[in-house]
Amino acid sequence: MRSFIAKTIALSSVFLLISCEPEITAGSSGTASSEDKLSSPVESFDPVLVSENGMLTVRNGRIDLCTNPEGIVSSDVDWNATEARTEGTQVWLKEANKAAVLWSAAGAISSSHTGVWLRDGTEIILKDAENMSELARVKVTSIACN
């Protein structure tokens, strides 16, 4: 009888351990590789940055250093300055310790794609083309890996 109870307990333990194991799918070893560990940033990651007033959006404004360890990316930049009642806008880029440079000039609503040169700390500034007042600003940031 003791043998039967011991075997039953042992078998139950095996089933409990199996149910706690992660599901292994085809092509997966069930263990995290170093590649898997580098594939997700430390915190919840959303690469889109939007200015406080919503006029300026940078689609790749937060750089995931897990997938971009060099810290340099390209991005789509969209703007809508219709609330400012302007007909023309300018988008300026400002890197740390450098003068701002004009990157784009367009109407109140537009978008453009950067080259692979956006990096942590780059500021993207939307200005009214008529009076050069600042309408919006976004600063590119980066997220470190675990």
Side-chain angles (χ1 to χ4, degrees):
M1 180 71 172
R2 283 186 182 174
S3 173
F4 175 75
I5 292 173
K7 287 180 182 176
T8 303
I9 291 172
L11 191 55
S12 297
S13 297
V14 169
F15 284 121
L16 284 174
L17 287 174
I18 290 172
S19 67
C20 292
E21 289 291 320
E23 183 178 333
I24 299 174
T25 57
S28 170
S29 65
T31 59
S33 68
S34 59
E35 196 173 290
D36 293 334
K37 291 177 185 174
L38 293 176
S39 65
S40 61
V42 174
E43 57 191 78
S44 176
F45 185 74
D46 180 6
V48 177
L49 289 179
V50 179
S51 64
E52 288 183 22
N53 61 11
M55 288 186 189
L56 182 62
T57 302
V58 181
R59 302 270 171 225
N60 212 6
R62 292 183 68 188
I63 303 167
D64 178 356
L65 294 176
C66 297
T67 57
N68 294 297
E70 70 286 344
I72 303 171
V73 297
S74 65
S75 181
D76 290 316
V77 179
D78 307 314
W79 58 95
N80 183 340
T82 54
E83 286 183 24
R85 296 189 176 115
T86 183
E87 292 182 23
T89 58
Q90 293 182 347
V91 180
W92 292 76
L93 301 173
K94 169 92 174 76
E95 289 188 12
N97 303 317
K98 293 185 180 179
V101 295
L102 178 62
W103 175 60
S104 180
I109 301 172
S110 194
S111 65
S112 194
H113 187 79
T114 72
V116 183
W117 38 256
L118 277 183
R119 63 185 72 233
D120 185 56
T122 302
E123 292 181 282
I124 301 170
I125 306 156
L126 178 66
K127 292 185 176 189
D128 183 320
E130 186 176 321
N131 61 23
M132 296 306 292
S133 64
E134 184 174 308
L135 302 174
R137 178 183 295 246
V138 169
K139 187 174 187 177
V140 176
T141 60
S142 62
I143 304 295
C145 288
N146 316 8

